[in-house]
Amino acid sequence: MGLRIEKPGLLTTVQDTGRLGHQKEGVLVSGAMDAMALRMGNLLVGNHENSASLEMTLLGPTITFTQSHLISITGADLSPKINGEAIPLWRPVLVKAGAILTFGTPIQGTRSYLNIAGGLKVEPVLGSASTYLKAGFGGWQGKVLQAGIELDCNELSTHMFPFVKSLENGLGKEAFYATSWRPSPDLLPAYEPNPIIRAVRGPEYDWFSLESKDTFWQTSFQLTAASDRMGYQLEGEKLELQKVLEMLSTAVTFGTVQVPSSGNPIVLMADHQTTGGYPRIAQVITADYSKLAQVVPGRQIQFQEVTLEEAQFLYLKQEQNLERLKQTLSLKFTT
Amino acid sequence: MPKSAHLDTSHIQLFPLGDSALVVQFGEVIDVSIHEQVRAFAEYVEVHPFYGFVEQVPAYTTVTVYYNPWLSSLKGKVNPYETVVVWVQEALAKMTSASKKTGKVVKEIPVCYSSEFGPDLKFVAENSGLSEAEVIALHTAPEYLVYMMGFAPGFPYLGGLNLSLATPRKATPRPTIPAGSVGIAGEQTGVYPMQTPGGWQLIGRTPLALFKVHRETPSLLQMGDTVKFVPIRPEEFYQLQTEHHGS
């Protein structure tokens, strides 16, 4: 055993980096909304970056660790505590068997990740542990976690034994022990409450009126309460097409900004449908997915245009940072 | 049917969908010959994936190729998009001589057409000025082509509806439509693989599971399949449902 869910929280699901290779059959990618937080969180506990973690939304769950675990909490700051004492984010933390993890007031962001050394043990479906709620498969029985259930964890991999041993020495009588170090802040996603989200032009950008193109880049949009893992519903000045053109259904992806006839943009997120038929005014760059994933409903987003070259440069820089983190951690874990 | 797919690549457009996907567009209208090019390219990239290839999603006139820029750029050494563009151009050039098409597979979909399983059968008949029997006859006559899969798991976009059956969507969508429902929306016809809300006019229901995640091939239909609807009686519906869904 590993974890017992005492209270499920608002929306707690098992996720990894997503279910790839089946969109051609209409199967959504799903996966973590803030995949970078999940990937870094897994690296911090010595896992493969794609291991299964818990995604917790705004109001976190209450969880009892039924055995001792090395964990990390990454992503949004939802005030995590162990046995009532605040624990730091973005660090490896050793918790004792019987320790109880709770969450309090959301301080920053929407989605937090609980990553456990070894990873959560769930049966992969079509190659992924991610929960796909609408079709009811993946993760824990295809559902949100419920009170009373227990989740297994895979065993700690042997390369982590010496590191865990060293943390045990620091543990003493406390319920948990966190490392004194954490990744350099410039490696972590830069969350903001009302972020500027960079995007490139979408394939149907030129279908929009000149005025609407300006509006899109120069005004801000509010994230409405109807937003979910499938898409962010934005509200602002209405966007209009130059003329109504018939569009054939075609593939869409995470960060695609569609504009239905209402004129209010929708940004597709982790549980987006595989194909769509609304004009695509823009496409959020991958390097800003984390920032986007953490916006709280009611807050504002402002889009900023970048070129494809800039978008790819930022993507590669982010992956280079992750490589740097991997190298640093491999030194920490072997000494 | 399998004509030698001599690909004229001059009309094919390539453009990015963000920083991790490339769209290969073969045309602008729903058309069988464009569909065959889409299908040939989709099959080619699956069989000969490039370094950094993630997946591909075929649609009516496009194949969207998803790639991992970190890998396709050889960890930042070359331009990731340009590298994929060059690969796609070479693949398209090679495909001009490749023309191995297998014979078509006709998949029969048994459908119980009735007011019980298709609450809008009467409306579709009235709207078309036909009897219900004529609607069923016209709907079961053609072999429909699966142009693409998408939106939801196992959902086929079918082409070939007899235009006299074209019916506008319902003004207000139903909150839940049972899995297997066969419907008409404008000039489209299709089958809902799972229970969802929806505005299509429902004329019947199939007992087959269009998508079963633990089946060897989860999706019953694939792009390029040919589908024929076969009318069945309610008794057959229940019998097949038991057999197909297991218990």
Side-chain angles (χ1 to χ4, degrees):
Chain A
M1 284 299 131
L3 314 179
R4 189 169 59 240
I5 308 300
E6 310 293 350
K7 289 184 194 165
L10 183 63
L11 176 66
T12 305
T13 57
V14 177
Q15 299 292 345
D16 57 19
T17 53
R19 184 169 285 109
L20 299 170
H22 297 278
Q23 287 198 85
K24 58 177 177 284
E25 294 179 323
V27 180
L28 323 183
V29 177
S30 307
M33 289 280 275
D34 183 348
M36 192 47 76
L38 174 134
R39 293 169 72 193
M40 292 177 80
N42 273 319
L43 294 177
L44 285 168
V45 294
N47 287 351
H48 188 275
E49 60 193 82
N50 186 28
S51 300
S53 300
L54 286 187
E55 180 178 276
M56 307 166 290
T57 314
L58 280 171
L59 298 170
T62 299
I63 294 171
T64 302
F65 293 95
T66 55
Q67 61 190 54
S68 167
H69 280 292
L70 178 66
I71 67 164
S72 73
I73 294 178
T74 54
D77 185 352
L78 307 180
S79 306
K81 292 185 178 72
I82 283 184
N83 291 1
E85 198 182 326
I87 60 166
L89 275 73
W90 304 98
R91 286 178 208 222
V93 178
L94 186 68
V95 292
K96 271 187 185 165
I100 297 171
L101 173 66
T102 55
F103 291 84
T105 314
I107 292 176
Q108 184 181 49
T110 309
R111 292 167 180 95
S112 189
Y113 296 86
L114 170 61
N115 316 281
I116 297 162
L120 292 169
K121 192 175 182 178
V122 297
E123 199 60 44
V125 176
L126 301 176
S128 165
S130 287
T131 311
Y132 174 9
L133 290 173
K134 231 182 235 168
F137 62 75
W140 178 76
Q141 302 181 4
K143 296 180 192 154
V144 297
L145 297 192
Q146 288 163 18
I149 68 160
E150 300 213 4
L151 285 175
D152 271 348
C153 300
N154 293 308
E155 282 184 26
L156 186 71
S157 105
T158 48
H159 81 279
M160 294 300 287
F161 284 1
F163 178 70
V164 169
K165 199 81 196 156
S166 75
L167 293 185
E168 273 169 4
N169 294 336
L171 195 56
K173 284 184 180 145
E174 306 300 322
F176 72 91
Y177 179 75
T179 58
S180 56
W181 53 267
R182 66 176 181 119
S184 143
D186 62 320
L187 296 183
L188 304 180
Y191 302 137
E192 292 160 47
N194 300 299
I196 290 174
I197 298 294
R198 291 166 292 189
V200 296
R201 293 178 180 191
E204 287 76 45
Y205 180 76
D206 284 326
W207 290 20
F208 289 85
S209 71
L210 285 177
E211 204 184 354
S212 287
K213 289 180 191 174
D214 286 346
T215 301
F216 183 73
W217 301 117
Q218 286 163 16
T219 64
S220 57
F221 294 88
Q222 189 180 44
L223 186 63
T224 74
S227 302
D228 58 16
R229 278 181 47 89
M230 187 176 178
Y232 280 3
Q233 315 268 342
L234 302 184
E235 237 170 49
E237 274 184 61
K238 302 274 185 284
L239 304 174
E240 284 173 359
L241 297 171
Q242 291 186 46
K243 57 178 179 196
V244 180
L245 291 164
E246 193 63 26
M247 188 176 156
L248 296 177
S249 285
T250 183
V252 290
T253 189
F254 196 124
T256 300
V257 187
Q258 294 184 322
V259 184
S261 50
S262 70
N264 286 319
I266 298 169
V267 191
L268 300 181
M269 302 300 286
D271 280 345
H272 66 83
Q273 68 276 25
T274 61
T275 56
Y278 293 125
R280 299 161 291 180
I281 191 169
Q283 174 67 45
V284 173
I285 71 170
T286 307
D288 282 355
Y289 285 179
S290 287
K291 250 190 240 181
L292 183 63
Q294 298 295 354
V295 181
V296 180
R299 295 291 193 159
Q300 305 278 329
I301 288 171
Q302 164 111 44
F303 293 101
Q304 183 187 45
E305 184 176 3
V306 293
T307 63
L308 177 63
E309 288 69 29
E310 287 171 284
Q312 298 212 310
F313 171 78
L314 293 163
Y315 184 112
L316 297 178
K317 206 173 110 194
Q318 199 175 50
E319 293 302 313
Q320 272 153 3
N321 282 346
L322 208 68
E323 291 282 303
R324 263 173 69 201
L325 180 67
K326 277 183 205 172
Q327 281 161 14
T328 312
L329 289 173
S330 72
L331 291 172
K332 295 276 186 196
F333 292 151
T334 52
T335 50
Chain B
M1 152 95 215
K3 61 180 175 189
S4 71
H6 225 51
L7 264 189
D8 170 17
T9 56
S10 58
H11 63 290
I12 299 172
Q13 292 185 53
L14 307 183
F15 53 88
L17 175 64
D19 54 34
S20 316
L22 166 77
V23 184
V24 186
Q25 181 162 342
F26 293 86
E28 300 195 329
V29 291
I30 300 177
D31 175 272
V32 174
S33 74
I34 290 170
H35 165 78
E36 282 173 357
Q37 294 174 33
V38 164
R39 193 176 149 197
F41 180 73
E43 284 168 1
Y44 184 88
V45 71
E46 289 277 334
V47 177
H48 311 277
F50 57 87
Y51 188 62
F53 170 73
V54 176
E55 64 180 312
Q56 54 84 23
V57 181
Y60 283 117
T61 62
T62 58
V63 178
T64 302
V65 178
Y66 297 83
Y67 60 96
N68 178 325
W70 179 239
L71 298 180
S72 73
S73 70
L74 307 173
K75 301 193 174 183
K77 291 192 190 75
V78 294
N79 182 306
Y81 178 72
E82 293 303 330
T83 305
V84 178
V85 166
V86 168
W87 185 91
V88 167
Q89 284 167 339
E90 285 171 3
L92 290 170
K94 278 183 203 152
M95 282 171 50
T96 54
S97 55
S99 69
K100 46 171 199 279
K101 279 271 175 67
T102 51
K104 72 176 171 185
V105 181
V106 181
K107 291 189 175 162
E108 292 196 345
I109 310 268
V111 177
C112 187
Y113 295 90
S114 68
S115 53
E116 182 195 353
F117 292 114
D120 305 315
L121 180 63
K122 189 163 175 257
F123 179 80
V124 171
E126 282 167 3
N127 183 69
S128 315
L130 301 165
S131 70
E132 291 184 15
E134 285 169 327
V135 170
I136 297 168
L138 286 176
H139 195 257
T140 51
E143 288 183 349
Y144 297 94
L145 175 62
V146 178
Y147 273 95
M148 59 185 279
M149 306 290 300
F151 190 71
F155 184 95
Y157 287 80
L158 301 176
L161 181 71
N162 186 312
L163 293 184
S164 59
L165 293 180
T167 315
R169 284 179 173 79
K170 296 187 84 66
T172 312
R174 287 190 171 87
T176 54
I177 288 182
S181 292
V182 176
I184 288 175
E187 297 174 9
Q188 305 181 85
T189 186
V191 187
Y192 285 95
M194 48 188 208
Q195 185 179 308
T196 63
W200 289 31
Q201 305 284 356
L202 309 181
I203 58 173
R205 202 189 307 165
T206 178
L208 300 189
L210 266 74
F211 188 87
K212 260 174 124 173
V213 73
H214 294 296
R215 191 159 57 192
E216 195 182 345
T217 309
S219 184
L220 186 70
L221 301 175
Q222 315 291 333
M223 177 191 55
D225 285 350
T226 303
V227 169
K228 193 142 188 347
F229 294 114
V230 177
I232 55 168
R233 296 188 309 278
E235 310 87 80
E236 293 172 282
F237 178 92
Y238 291 117
Q239 195 192 337
L240 281 168
Q241 192 179 42
T242 313
E243 286 169 17
H244 202 69
H245 291 256
S247 53

